Amino acid sequence: MKKLIALFMLAGFLFSPVITKAQDADESAEETTEEVVDQDEAEEEAAPAPEPAAPAVVDDEIIDEDKGFHQIIKEKFIEGDPTFMSPVLICLILGLAVALERIITLNLSTTNTKKLLANVEEALEQGGIEAAKDVTRNTKGPVASIFTQGLMRYTEGIEMVEKSIIAYGSVEMGRLEKGLVWISLFISLAPMLGFMGTVIGMIGAFDAIEAAGDISPSLVAGGIKIALLTTVAGLIVAIILQLFYNYCVAKIDSLVNDMEDASITLVDMLVKHKLTK
C-alpha cells in the first residue's frame, strides 16, 4: 500500500510541470485571442463609418433640372438655326404688339350704352338737342360719336339722321377693325416661314447624304432637327396670334351690335321728341 502511494506521488511530481506548462499555454492563447479581438474592435471603432452611396444621377438630368424655361427656349432657338427662327420670332413680336394695341383700344371703346341712352333721353327732355349733344360729346367711344353725328343732322329731318348714323357707323366699324389685317398676315406668315425652314433643313440633310454616299443617322439628324424645330416654332406663333385675333373679332362684333341697337333706340327717341315738341 505504501508502495502504491509512493508511486502516485512520484507520478504526480513528474507530470506536474507538464500540466503547468499546458495551463500556461492555454492562458497565453486566451490572452492572445482577447488581444486580437480587442485590436479588431479598436480598428472597427477607429475606422470611419462608410458614407451612404449617393444615388446615381445622370449629368444631363442635373443640367436639365438647373435650366430654366427661358434657357431651354434659348437653346432650342439656337439649335433651330437663328437664320430660320428669327423671322418667326419677328412675326410673334409684331403680331403681339398689334394685338395688344387692338385689345387696349377696343376695351377703351366699350361704352355703357344703357347709361348713355338714359342720359341722352334726360337731356332731350330737359335741355333739348343741344343738351343731348353736350352729353354725347363728353362721352368716349364709337357709340357716343355716332350719336353726336346723328344729333347734328337733326334739323335736316329724321331720314338724314338715320343716313348719318349708318354712314358714320361704317366709319367707326372700320376704325375698330384697323390692324386686324396685320394680325391675320402674321398668323399666315409664321407657319409658312416654319415650313420653309423645314424644307431647307431637309435639303441640307439630303445634301449631306449625297456628299457622304451613305445614309447615317448622324448625317441627317442635324437637318431634320432644324426642320422640326422651325415647324414647331411657326405653329406655336400662329396658335398664339390666332387666340388674340379671335378675341379682337369677338370684341368688335359686340361693339358693332351695341352701336346698331343704340342707334335704333336713338332714332326712336328723336322721333318721340319731335312729336312731343
Side-chain angles (χ1 to χ4, degrees), residues 81-274:
D81 194 345
T83 304
F84 305 119
M85 299 289 280
S86 296
V88 178
L89 179 61
I90 292 172
C91 289
L92 176 62
I93 294 173
L94 295 178
L96 287 177
V98 176
L100 292 176
E101 186 273 334
R102 283 292 87 198
I103 290 173
I104 294 172
T105 301
L106 293 175
N107 286 327
L108 293 175
S109 300
T110 304
T111 306
N112 189 346
T113 55
K114 293 182 179 180
K115 183 178 180 180
L116 178 61
L117 288 170
N119 292 335
V120 170
E121 185 175 10
E122 182 179 358
L124 286 173
E125 293 176 354
Q126 295 180 359
I129 298 297
E130 294 300 325
K133 288 181 183 178
D134 293 336
V135 171
T136 56
R137 286 170 180 168
N138 294 328
T139 305
K140 295 180 180 179
V143 177
S145 299
I146 292 172
F147 281 10
T148 301
Q149 294 297 322
L151 293 172
M152 292 175 65
R153 299 289 181 136
Y154 177 75
T155 56
E156 300 178 12
I158 299 299
E159 292 182 358
M160 287 301 299
V161 172
E162 292 179 353
K163 290 181 181 180
S164 178
I165 288 175
I166 293 172
Y168 202 73
S170 299
V171 174
E172 288 294 332
M173 186 174 176
R175 290 179 180 176
L176 293 176
E177 293 178 348
K178 179 183 177 181
L180 290 184
V181 64
W182 292 106
I183 302 176
S184 179
L185 172 64
F186 295 133
I187 291 172
S188 302
L189 193 59
M192 291 181 183
L193 292 173
F195 292 143
M196 184 177 69
T198 300
V199 174
I200 295 175
M202 295 301 294
I203 292 173
F206 283 109
D207 287 341
I209 294 173
E210 183 180 4
D214 186 16
I215 298 177
S216 175
S218 60
L219 291 174
V220 299
I224 294 175
K225 190 173 186 179
I226 293 174
L228 295 177
L229 287 174
T230 54
T231 303
V232 170
L235 292 175
I236 290 174
V237 170
I239 290 171
I240 294 173
L241 295 180
Q242 186 67 53
L243 294 174
F244 284 100
Y245 178 82
N246 288 350
Y247 175 83
C248 293
V249 171
K251 191 68 176 178
I252 291 172
D253 290 340
S254 177
L255 290 173
V256 170
N257 290 332
D258 289 342
M259 285 190 296
E260 292 176 352
D261 294 339
S263 299
I264 294 172
T265 305
L266 177 64
V267 172
D268 293 338
M269 285 183 185
L270 295 177
V271 172
K272 179 180 178 182
H273 176 72
K274 186 175 183 180

